[in-house]
Amino acid sequence: MSGLISPHGGELVDRTGPPPDDLADLASLTLTARELSDLDMLASGALSPLEGFMARADYESVLDDMRLASGLPWALPVCLAVDSPPQSDRVALADESGRPVAVLEVEDVFDYDKQHEAQAAFRTTDEAHPGVARLYGQKQLYLSGRVTVFERQQPQFPQLALDPAKTRARFAERGWKRVVGFQTRNPIHRAHEYLTKTALETVDGLLIHPLVGETKSDDVPAATRVACYGVLVDNYYPAGRVLVAAFPAAMRYAGPREAIWHAICRKNYGCSHFIVGRDHAGVGDYYGTYDAQLIFDDFEPHELDIEPMFFEHSFFCRVCGSMASAKTCPHPPDDHVHLSGTKVRELLGRGELPPVEFSRPEVAEVLIEAYRS
Ligand SMILES: [Zn+2]
């Protein structure tokens, strides 16, 4: 017994396996980058209990009730879009270069309503929303069925590639039982360092789990962020209490629903707790500041099993002399070190370090270097 939280649905799914003998005879479908990242997460069990792309009953139930047809909580569709129904009961799935990487056992092909999915998953039908734009641009039918993956995706950062089974093994080796997961797609400055350390004070270990899959083109590039996490952790976290690994998901920008989805995935990686800050997985002003926290109230306390840890915006307060938030500091905003994102980009672009109360100098140096090149 590792003492770690059970995977969602009870068992960690493993959909890896050898290629079939008749692979060369199968019709082949080429997947998008996002579908490939979903496929790889199906293979590793990151999306347990899913064993393949969703069938209609699960898809509709997820959109309408945030549950799989079995009743198990689930927040976002994991679907494969196709132009036409396949002509056989199995198809090969290929990466963008046309190389076959998996086989799908065809279960169903169904029509879907893009606007209905957009409203349910993203809470908007506005095509300016990047998730909605991607949905509106995709093919007209969904193909469902169990997958067997025989060629895993080459990880962008091999040193950070850890499947759920491996992450769980690392936790167990270190004797961690209660582990908090932190999702991020940005460099970690003092504010988020504070959240992770405040959470870590109450558990055994911290998983810094940056999303390195597909993001918007104006997000900080993953390689720069990974370098930032490295210098931050090496200099400011005890090695025995923190693990940095890549979360291979593509960003959906679905805000509240993505917060639930992110939490469920991290449960599969062995996290018992999950940090949800303000506007988690949001984009633009499509979601209210606390929507991604409030949505957890849609579930009974123990249904998700993984425990969300909610945080306010935090800052350095000169009077308190420490990091704080509106929950813990009574002083007015003038006493707080606040820099807008624009201001920070200006400073870094000029090669200037932001105040140490805002960003660790080692992290800022990495960002300045990235701006130079
Ligand atoms: Zn204060």
Side-chain angles (χ1 to χ4, degrees), residues 17 24 33 38 104 111 131 136 144 151 157 235 261 301 336 345 359:
D38 285 352
L104 179 141
D111 201 0
Y136 286 0
S144 71
E151 198 71 55
F157 304 98
N235 288 289
W261 193 75
H336 303 158
R345 282 189 291 274
S359 186

Side-chain angles (χ1 to χ4, degrees), residues 123-137:
R123 299 188 176 183
T124 175
T125 55
D126 181 1
E127 58 194 277
H129 182 293
V132 174
R134 195 261 312 144
L135 170 62
Y136 286 0

Side-chain angles (χ1 to χ4, degrees), residues 156-179:
Q156 199 185 345
F157 304 98
Q159 75 281 18
L160 299 184
L162 286 180
D163 282 346
K166 290 234 172 78
T167 319
R168 288 173 165 271
R170 295 281 181 92
F171 295 168
E173 280 163 22
R174 294 168 176 210
W176 297 354
K177 292 182 170 60
R178 292 155 55 83
V179 184

Side-chain angles (χ1 to χ4, degrees), residues 1-13:
M1 285 293 288
S2 68
L4 292 167
I5 194 170
S6 294
H8 200 51
E11 298 286 333
L12 197 60
V13 167

Side-chain angles (χ1 to χ4, degrees), residues 75-94:
L76 289 171
V78 176
C79 292
L80 176 57
V82 296
D83 279 325
S84 55
Q87 301 304 306
S88 57
D89 61 359
R90 286 179 307 143
V91 288
L93 305 180

Side-chain angles (χ1 to χ4, degrees), residues 317 319-320 329-331 336:
C317 171
V319 180
C320 291
C329 161
H331 307 114
H336 303 158

